[in-house]
Amino acid sequence: MRKLRQKGGVARSSAVPSAGGRVGVGPGAMARPGGFETAEQQQHVLSRQQERHYRLLAELQALVKALPSACQQRLSYTTLSELALALLDGTVFEIVQGLLEIQHLTEKNLYSQRRQLHSEHRGLKQELFHRHKEAQQCCRPHNLPLLRAAQQREMEAMEQQIREEQRMMDEKIVLELDQKVIDQQSTLEKAGVSGFYITTNPQELTLQMNLLELIRKLQQKEAEAEKKFC
């Protein structure tokens, strides 16, 4: 990944029960009409969210220990806590999975295009070589030096064209991969994931790659935990 400010996206509940643990007016404040939750139900949901947040935070802190010390210093408690909050409902896991799949497909497609171009160039050079060889076999001896000089110029011109086409292909690959990084940065920023915004700063890109790796590893742990309960 190379690049990724604006926060938003994931909504977080900040509801706090009123005194006595009840919401609304009147004693007891039983379930309201229209499907509203009782204070006890709301408190239960908040309690479970808090437990999940603490668990995700603890797992992130454990995963961070495997990163280089310079990266660990950048990933403060606040950053990891905000990341754990963004991961609460699992939506960010799905977003990251989708982004990584798109990235892998893009890389595979670009690699295929470059390989195809290389194959075409090899074919052109082989064809030119055989054509030159046939021409030399049919050429009279006294004309051979002139023919070989002309063929050398033709081969050099083709090699120059091949180098230019390869350069253009490599530039295309870099631009497309850079755009995918920008897409990832923008998407995760809009999803409210701490640390992601559009940037080309190498240090920030390294941090974002580490954050993505943390999310990916945490997703794997979550999936493995779910399988145990199935």
Side-chain angles (χ1 to χ4, degrees), residues 132-148 151:
H132 285 177
K133 187 175 181 179
E134 290 176 357
Q136 289 176 17
Q137 291 173 347
C138 300
C139 182
R140 295 186 178 186
H142 64 279
N143 290 329
L144 200 54
L146 291 175
L147 176 64
R148 285 175 175 169
Q151 289 177 340

Side-chain angles (χ1 to χ4, degrees), residues 42-226:
Q42 290 181 351
Q43 185 62 39
H44 178 68
V45 170
L46 289 174
S47 177
R48 293 194 62 179
Q49 287 181 339
Q50 189 175 50
E51 290 176 4
R52 178 168 168 77
H53 174 245
Y54 287 155
R55 180 173 58 80
L56 291 173
L57 176 57
E59 291 177 348
L60 286 170
Q61 288 174 316
L63 290 171
V64 164
K65 294 178 180 179
L67 296 176
S69 58
C71 297
Q72 293 183 35
Q73 294 173 3
R74 296 287 313 277
L75 296 171
S76 65
Y77 176 90
T78 300
T79 300
L80 294 178
S81 180
E82 291 176 351
L83 179 58
L85 281 174
L87 298 173
L88 274 182
D89 66 356
T91 302
V92 172
F93 286 136
E94 296 177 1
I95 292 173
V96 169
Q97 182 64 31
L99 291 173
L100 291 177
E101 288 176 358
I102 292 172
Q103 177 181 328
H104 293 155
L105 287 174
T106 301
E107 291 173 350
K108 183 179 180 180
N109 181 50
L110 291 172
Y111 173 75
S112 178
Q113 290 181 34
R114 197 179 193 283
R115 186 174 55 183
Q116 177 64 29
L117 181 64
H118 180 71
S119 177
E120 291 174 1
H121 288 162
R122 186 171 59 249
L124 288 172
K125 291 177 72 173
Q126 289 177 348
E127 180 183 351
L128 183 60
F129 174 79
H130 291 309
R131 183 155 54 83
H132 285 177
K133 187 175 181 179
E134 290 176 357
Q136 289 176 17
Q137 291 173 347
C138 300
C139 182
R140 295 186 178 186
H142 64 279
N143 290 329
L144 200 54
L146 291 175
L147 176 64
R148 285 175 175 169
Q151 289 177 340
Q152 180 64 25
R153 290 193 296 272
E154 186 177 13
M155 179 63 75
E156 290 174 355
M158 173 174 283
E159 289 178 345
Q160 176 62 30
Q161 178 183 348
I162 286 174
R163 285 194 296 269
E164 180 64 16
E165 290 180 359
Q166 289 176 338
R167 183 190 64 79
M168 292 175 64
M169 172 60 74
D170 290 342
E171 286 184 356
K172 174 187 175 184
I173 290 173
V174 169
L175 288 173
E176 289 201 31
L177 292 178
D178 282 349
Q179 184 59 50
K180 283 293 171 287
V181 170
I182 292 174
D183 293 343
Q184 291 176 356
Q185 293 171 329
S186 177
T187 300
L188 292 170
E189 179 185 13
K190 291 175 181 177
V193 184
S194 178
F196 286 92
Y197 58 94
I198 296 175
T199 178
T200 58
N201 184 299
Q203 292 182 337
E204 296 304 309
L205 290 174
T206 299
L207 177 65
Q208 291 174 353
M209 286 191 292
N210 287 323
L211 287 171
L212 274 179
E213 183 65 10
L214 289 176
I215 294 172
R216 188 187 65 81
K217 288 183 176 180
L218 189 54
Q219 183 181 24
Q220 290 177 343
K221 293 187 69 174
E222 291 281 293
E224 291 171 0
E226 289 180 5

